[in-house]
Amino acid sequence: MIDALISFFKPSNRSLIRELVVSDFKLRYKNSILGYFWSLLKPLLLFGVLYFVFTKVVRIGGDVPYYPAYLLLGLVMWTFFVEATTSGMNSVMARGDMIRKVSVPKYVIVLSTTISALVNFSLNMVVVFIFMMLNDVTLRPTILIAPILIIELIIFSLSIGALLAALFVKYRDFSHIWEVALQILFYATPIIYTLNFPPLNIAKLISINPLTQIFQDMRVLLIDPQVLTNRDVFQSQVGHIIPISIVFLLAVIAIWYFKRSSPNFAEEL
Amino acid sequence: MSEKVALTVEHLHKEFRLPHERQNSLKDKVLHFQKPTYEKLQALKDINFEVKKGEFFGIVGRNGSGKSTLLKILGGIYQPTKGSVKVNGTLTPFIELGIGFNPELSGRENVFLNGAILGLTRREVIKLYDEIVDFAGIEKFMDQKLKNYSSGMQVRLAFSIAIQAHNDILLIDEVLAVGDAAFQKKCFDVFKSVKKEGKTVIFVTHDMSAVEEYCDRAMLIENSEVISIGKSYQVAREYRRLLNQDEQTSTSQKSTRFGTGDAHIISATILNKKGVLIKRLGDDDDKFLFRIQVVFNKAIKKPIFGITLRDAAGQPLMLSNTKSLNKQTNDYEKDQQVTITWELENIFNTGRYSISPAVAAEDAITMFDWREDFLWLIVDKDFSLSGPIYFKHKINIDI
């Protein structure tokens, strides 16, 4: 962990991350007319569909206060999680050509994809703020605590991304496994619904999920202090301790496993 | 490690485990409870060597000898199974040029990306940018997409970036096989100047003339082991002998052949000066005979017999025929056989040489039979200089 930190602050590694992120961003929207707007447009279109379905067809969101902002914030964070974990998983394979020919710190490759996702996330957050304004959400000073939750989300996504990247080199099944897991997680996280919607025992189950804790706490800080959180579900701090412990544990496992398997990437790819 | 040593390799072993059937999916892993069977491949066995600071060190070996694996271990890409590699300083592997080059990005963007992959910081690339572009000689194209570059331009750009990586040790795989002659010369000039700066160069190649010209010392790897290490000309000689080792002078029936077919060259042989058939020419064979047998399929008047001698690279060394030597030939009947013998001096150095015999009509235009590279001559001498031919000579020094 400490050598990873030292290595992160080595200027050449920082430059490498920067160049990987910048070139990735340039390449992603090359030859497309709308270019960077696609990264804004995609979650907005999804938002439009979900908003219509869940306020007009299945009236889940109808009486949730600030539902548009609530839904969009959830979707934007979810998009980040999907993007960071999926591209993190694929990153080592995608850069196989480079890994086989030059010795670079492997974590740099996974980290650069997380940062790429973070750039998109930041752009999308601008839209979230616009929606919050339109939705008459009052900005409170609690917004200043939000970066801590974003860091937790980054650590969680990066850990999963790194773990999957290392596993994916060995077993190609993980791309399918993760696709299914993401579909389950989409419904096991209160993105479109609120935590008081499912029955209590299911709400408790959902509250173990670190994403639930991050999303709900973000909504409390940014949108509405009345939003139901994990702590409310468990009626104690256990609601926070469990998901945070999961994030921490996963980070430790990811660092251990990635460190152990990364020296052999060049041979196994 | 002493200050004067750039790189030490001790008892290095590398073993690859090649699964008999690659298990890339969990299902395979779960369904096949028995342990997967591996084939062990010893890529490197007990490699020991040391490279001194400022040395130009060559690593030579045939394909599959393990030299590329060694290079990858030295470059930190593969992990050794056993043993150690100690590097005193920083190292740039030139295993391939232009790693990470993306055809959709501009030349300029690729410089920054490739530079970062080679360990340069952005600030350093900005500082070196003009020099890189200047060396590559493609200022005008830097804002164009790389996919619009010619392959030569891409190589030049890639090389220019790579030589700016400011490390103490340069690890060069045969990247110099690319680019035109002028650019190759430029590259070697750079390596020489890099060496003058006190940097160490490790050079992996097949090209023995480059080894002899540039390397201070060299190492020969064969069958995963170091079999020779020392002065570069000695190692180059060992390498040439190794290439010859399993080979014998022989004719190839598959060689290209053309002509009217009015005469056929049916055999070609090499004999020593006593007229005995031999497989290889050694130090004792100062003279040798090259003999062909020709059969005529129709009556021919005064044909011309000739040979072309080439070195292993296909460069012609000598063309000889009965006409240019003013040797009278006879008139031949149908089905008549004739033997023609050249008496030659063995001025060859260790290596392989091809002989292409031919029979042509008196007018020297109609070709009856031409057999391209029909016979491969193997020369193996203890005393051997580089270059294909050794002329007897003396060197006099007047003070």
Side-chain angles (χ1 to χ4, degrees):
Chain A
M1 188 70 189
I2 291 160
D3 2 309
L5 274 178
I6 293 169
S7 137
F8 180 67
F9 288 108
K10 232 175 100 180
S12 61
N13 287 343
R14 275 207 320 258
S15 291
L16 178 55
I17 292 173
R18 183 201 159 118
E19 294 304 332
L20 289 177
V21 171
V22 168
S23 60
D24 180 59
F25 210 76
K26 279 180 181 157
L27 285 171
R28 198 177 324 185
Y29 302 109
K30 269 248 151 107
N31 299 330
S32 76
I33 296 161
L34 291 179
Y36 299 137
F37 281 103
W38 277 114
S39 45
L40 299 175
L41 224 49
K42 273 190 291 183
L44 276 180
L45 289 174
L46 184 60
F47 164 78
V49 172
L50 291 176
Y51 183 73
F52 177 77
V53 171
F54 290 100
T55 54
K56 304 282 185 265
V57 185
V58 190
R59 301 179 60 92
I60 294 174
D63 31 81
V64 175
Y66 312 113
Y67 186 67
Y70 179 97
L71 175 63
L72 188 64
L73 179 60
L75 269 179
V76 163
M77 286 195 288
W78 172 254
T79 307
F80 167 76
F81 177 74
V82 172
E83 204 188 315
T85 52
T86 314
S87 62
M89 172 174 69
N90 292 323
S91 62
V92 171
M93 288 285 285
R95 298 272 178 194
D97 204 40
M98 182 173 121
I99 292 173
R100 261 181 267 119
K101 279 158 197 159
V102 70
S103 155
V104 288
K106 311 295 180 288
Y107 77 90
V108 162
I109 292 165
V110 182
L111 187 58
S112 74
T113 60
T114 310
I115 293 174
S116 287
L118 197 62
V119 173
N120 277 342
F121 175 70
S122 311
L123 287 172
N124 291 343
M125 279 307 280
V126 174
V127 182
V128 172
F129 279 110
I130 293 170
F131 264 75
M132 280 162 58
M133 296 297 118
L134 296 175
N135 220 204
D136 291 327
V137 174
T138 33
L139 280 183
R140 285 161 298 123
T142 46
I143 192 173
L144 297 172
I145 312 169
I148 297 175
L149 289 170
I150 295 174
I151 289 170
E152 189 191 349
L153 180 63
I154 293 170
I155 292 173
F156 186 57
S157 313
L158 183 59
S159 305
I160 293 177
L163 199 59
L164 287 172
L167 287 166
F168 191 39
V169 170
K170 276 212 176 81
Y171 309 108
R172 304 292 142 84
D173 307 69
F174 275 88
S175 63
H176 307 292
I177 293 176
W178 190 240
E179 212 174 296
V180 176
L182 279 176
Q183 282 188 11
I184 297 167
L185 271 174
F186 183 78
Y187 294 102
T189 309
I191 297 165
I192 40 183
Y193 56 86
T194 56
L195 263 183
N196 48 12
F197 189 77
L200 185 65
N201 49 351
I202 292 184
K204 275 189 175 171
L205 202 65
I206 288 170
S207 299
I208 292 171
N209 176 1
L211 289 177
T212 308
Q213 177 251 320
I214 295 165
F215 286 19
Q216 295 310 87
D217 285 352
M218 273 291 270
R219 284 158 168 164
V220 166
L221 296 180
L222 295 187
I223 298 167
D224 179 8
Q226 303 305 318
V227 169
L228 211 59
T229 66
N230 299 38
R231 200 184 61 191
D232 303 329
V233 171
F234 281 92
Q235 290 180 328
S236 74
Q237 279 300 349
V238 172
H240 270 136
I241 292 166
I242 297 175
I244 291 173
S245 309
I246 291 176
V247 172
F248 183 75
L249 195 72
L250 209 68
V252 171
I253 294 171
I255 290 170
W256 167 78
Y257 188 71
F258 193 80
K259 239 181 142 172
R260 205 187 71 140
S261 45
S262 61
N264 297 322
F265 282 170
E267 285 168 50
E268 279 168 359
L269 276 168
Chain B
M1 203 178 341
S2 124
E3 273 304 294
K4 286 187 176 150
V5 175
L7 181 97
T8 314
V9 173
E10 278 173 340
H11 303 293
L12 182 74
H13 287 262
K14 179 68 189 175
E15 202 176 86
F16 288 110
R17 292 206 302 172
L18 307 172
H20 275 134
E21 203 181 330
R22 212 188 147 97
Q23 298 185 329
N24 258 344
S25 80
L26 272 181
K27 186 198 89 189
D28 289 344
K29 191 97 177 170
V30 175
L31 291 184
H32 303 124
F33 287 115
Q34 73 271 41
K35 273 207 159 173
T37 49
Y38 289 104
E39 193 149 353
K40 281 184 183 171
L41 181 88
Q42 276 272 322
L44 292 172
K45 281 179 228 160
D46 201 27
I47 307 287
N48 294 285
F49 69 97
E50 206 175 67
V51 179
K52 294 192 181 64
K53 271 211 171 128
E55 208 171 22
F56 209 125
F57 188 81
I59 298 178
V60 302
R62 291 196 270 189
N63 287 335
S65 58
K67 64 181 195 309
S68 298
T69 306
L70 177 62
L71 192 73
K72 286 197 166 178
I73 293 176
L74 296 183
I77 297 160
Y78 286 174
Q79 301 300 311
T81 309
K82 261 197 291 182
S84 70
V85 175
K86 283 183 205 132
V87 179
N88 192 3
T90 48
L91 185 145
T92 312
F94 277 54
I95 287 174
E96 194 178 289
L97 289 175
I99 301 161
F101 262 15
N102 194 302
E104 289 292 333
L105 294 175
S106 73
R108 189 187 164 77
E109 288 162 341
N110 271 303
V111 168
F112 281 91
L113 180 60
N114 186 247
I117 291 171
L118 291 177
L120 291 169
T121 64
R122 191 174 169 82
R123 199 173 299 168
E124 285 166 330
V125 178
I126 292 170
K127 215 170 66 192
L128 295 167
Y129 184 77
D130 289 338
E131 215 173 313
I132 291 170
V133 175
D134 200 43
F135 187 86
I138 47 169
E139 293 89 336
K140 280 182 282 177
F141 304 95
M142 291 313 287
D143 289 316
Q144 285 195 21
K145 282 185 182 178
L146 197 76
K147 66 178 175 188
N148 298 328
Y149 282 34
S150 74
S151 55
M153 278 156 71
Q154 289 193 22
V155 167
R156 289 211 299 273
L157 183 61
F159 186 81
S160 310
I161 306 163
I163 52 159
Q164 299 295 345
H166 47 112
N167 293 328
D168 312 324
I169 305 172
L170 268 80
L171 211 59
I172 304 159
D173 201 357
E174 290 171 284
V175 286
L176 296 164
V178 286
D180 54 28
F183 191 72
Q184 282 190 22
K185 167 116 185 18
K186 211 168 161 186
C187 298
F188 271 114
D189 288 346
V190 169
F191 292 145
K192 277 182 172 167
S193 70
V194 160
K195 198 194 155 205
K196 269 194 198 129
E197 288 166 31
K199 290 183 183 177
T200 314
V201 182
I202 298 175
F203 182 47
V204 177
T205 186
H206 283 306
D207 182 1
M208 286 311 118
S209 54
V211 168
E212 286 176 314
E213 195 173 342
Y214 300 102
C215 296
D216 302 314
R217 284 196 311 139
M219 178 170 92
L220 173 60
I221 298 184
E222 173 67 6
N223 285 331
S224 322
E225 285 175 295
V226 174
I227 60 169
S228 164
I229 184 163
K231 292 267 180 240
S232 49
Y233 68 88
Q234 287 168 339
V235 173
R237 195 160 75 196
E238 290 255 7
Y239 180 75
R240 288 201 184 95
R241 298 190 79 163
L242 190 75
L243 282 186
N244 269 346
Q245 186 172 274
D246 314 321
E247 295 195 52
Q248 293 180 336
T249 297
S250 59
T251 53
S252 162
Q253 294 306 324
K254 275 182 268 170
S255 68
T256 320
R257 176 175 206 171
F258 65 90
T260 60
D262 295 338
H264 271 144
I265 299 164
I266 50 177
S267 75
T269 45
I270 296 288
L271 308 135
N272 70 8
K273 55 191 169 190
K274 290 171 195 148
V276 180
L277 213 67
I278 50 168
K279 302 281 190 199
R280 308 155 76 88
L281 290 180
D283 292 87
D284 299 334
D285 303 303
D286 53 336
K287 285 192 170 68
F288 68 98
L289 308 174
F290 173 70
R291 180 169 290 165
I292 56 170
Q293 278 192 304
V294 178
V295 61
F296 290 91
N297 298 323
K298 104 183 192 194
I300 300 282
K301 280 183 181 150
K302 299 191 171 45
I304 303 170
F305 301 102
I307 53 170
T308 303
L309 236 159
R310 293 198 184 91
D311 67 9
Q315 205 62 244
L317 300 175
M318 185 186 81
L319 283 76
S320 151
N321 63 51
T322 47
K323 190 178 179 184
S324 49
L325 288 181
N326 282 325
K327 183 89 187 163
Q328 272 298 323
T329 55
N330 302 324
D331 298 342
Y332 300 100
E333 301 296 317
K334 186 176 186 294
D335 292 330
Q336 193 176 341
Q337 266 200 28
V338 56
T339 303
I340 305 102
T341 307
W342 275 262
E343 204 182 307
L344 296 154
E345 280 195 52
N346 180 7
I347 57 167
F348 300 103
N349 284 316
T350 297
R352 303 168 77 214
Y353 302 87
S354 85
I355 303 178
S356 316
V359 188
E362 195 182 1
D363 60 4
I365 294 166
T366 314
M367 187 63 65
F368 295 140
D369 194 13
W370 171 293
R371 304 201 74 168
E372 182 87 4
D373 298 338
F374 187 39
L375 180 130
W376 280 96
L377 170 68
I378 306 298
V379 180
D380 186 2
K381 288 184 179 173
D382 281 331
F383 178 77
S384 191
L385 299 180
S386 48
I389 290 178
Y390 174 78
F391 294 104
K392 255 193 193 146
H393 64 287
K394 276 183 191 150
I395 304 177
N396 295 317
I397 300 169
D398 298 322
I399 306 185

